[in-house]
Amino acid sequence: MKITCGFDLDGVLSKPCEKELTTIKPNSFEEIEYYIKRKQHINVKFNFIVITGRPRRLRPVTEAWFINNFKYCPKIYFVGCASKEGKLLKYFGQKWAEEKYAKIQSKAKAKIINKLNLLFYWEDNFKIVKILRKLCPKTSIIWINNHYNSKK
């Protein structure tokens, strides 16, 4: 039996940065698998996927980063749209745009999480975590707290 687990990219598997990705711990899927098995007391194989708010135009650099840092590239779903985020910011201001874009990203991520029937999903944006917990009741949505995102 294989369990599929999902991760956000920026802030969970890497430091959030638009230009380049920098690895943070854990730095291998083997470490993640070991952690899950130990924490959940289960002994099964895992399949890892990434659902990121990055726009699709960053696919080449993102895939190359995975190959360089994790030795292989998992299936990656890109749900971000930089132009939509920029338009919201321009017309409605920072706070409103962040709230609205979190809702847009959450719905896109929830659609994939539910379709793939993920058991676990790791996310660092607490606004998105709260929405995903409502939209994905069968999935354990795990909040990764880091100093890049504050709990707002």
Side-chain angles (χ1 to χ4, degrees):
M1 179 174 131
K2 261 195 172 182
I3 294 176
T4 301
C5 299
F7 298 88
D8 178 38
L9 176 56
D10 296 299
V12 175
L13 296 177
S14 75
K15 293 178 184 174
C17 178
E18 287 184 20
K19 294 184 181 174
E20 66 180 61
L21 293 165
T22 308
T23 304
I24 58 176
K25 291 288 184 186
N27 59 11
S28 76
F29 286 110
E30 290 80 19
E31 286 182 31
I32 296 166
E33 188 168 345
Y34 174 77
Y35 169 80
I36 298 168
K37 286 179 178 180
R38 198 179 87 235
K39 189 85 170 168
Q40 300 298 323
H41 306 291
I42 51 179
N43 191 18
V44 295
K45 294 287 183 192
F46 288 89
N47 183 36
F48 297 106
I49 60 126
V50 173
I51 307 171
T52 179
R54 295 175 147 250
R56 284 179 189 85
R57 67 180 170 77
L58 295 177
R59 178 179 294 278
V61 69
T62 304
E63 289 176 347
W65 179 82
F66 270 104
I67 299 296
N68 289 337
N69 290 281
F70 288 83
K71 308 304 179 235
Y72 86 101
C73 186
K75 174 78 174 154
I76 305 173
Y77 296 87
F78 292 84
V79 299
C81 179
S83 63
K84 188 179 285 186
E85 187 175 17
K87 287 176 187 173
L88 290 171
L89 188 61
K90 181 179 176 182
Y91 294 113
F92 299 106
Q94 180 82 27
K95 180 104 171 115
W96 191 91
E98 284 177 7
E99 294 285 332
K100 186 68 175 170
Y101 200 64
K103 289 178 185 175
I104 292 168
Q105 274 199 11
S106 297
K107 288 179 183 177
K109 287 181 177 189
K111 187 175 178 181
I112 295 166
I113 290 168
N114 289 327
K115 180 181 175 187
L116 297 176
N117 199 24
L118 299 183
L119 187 60
F120 300 103
Y121 181 75
W122 283 264
E123 173 65 55
D124 67 310
N125 184 319
F126 193 69
K127 291 173 189 168
I128 292 176
V129 167
K130 289 192 293 187
I131 297 168
L132 288 177
R133 285 180 176 162
K134 291 177 187 171
L135 297 176
C136 308
K138 295 179 181 177
T139 304
S140 293
I141 306 297
I142 302 162
W143 177 49
I144 298 289
N145 184 10
N146 61 47
H147 66 277
Y148 304 105
N149 285 322
S150 60
K151 187 176 177 180
K152 296 176 184 174

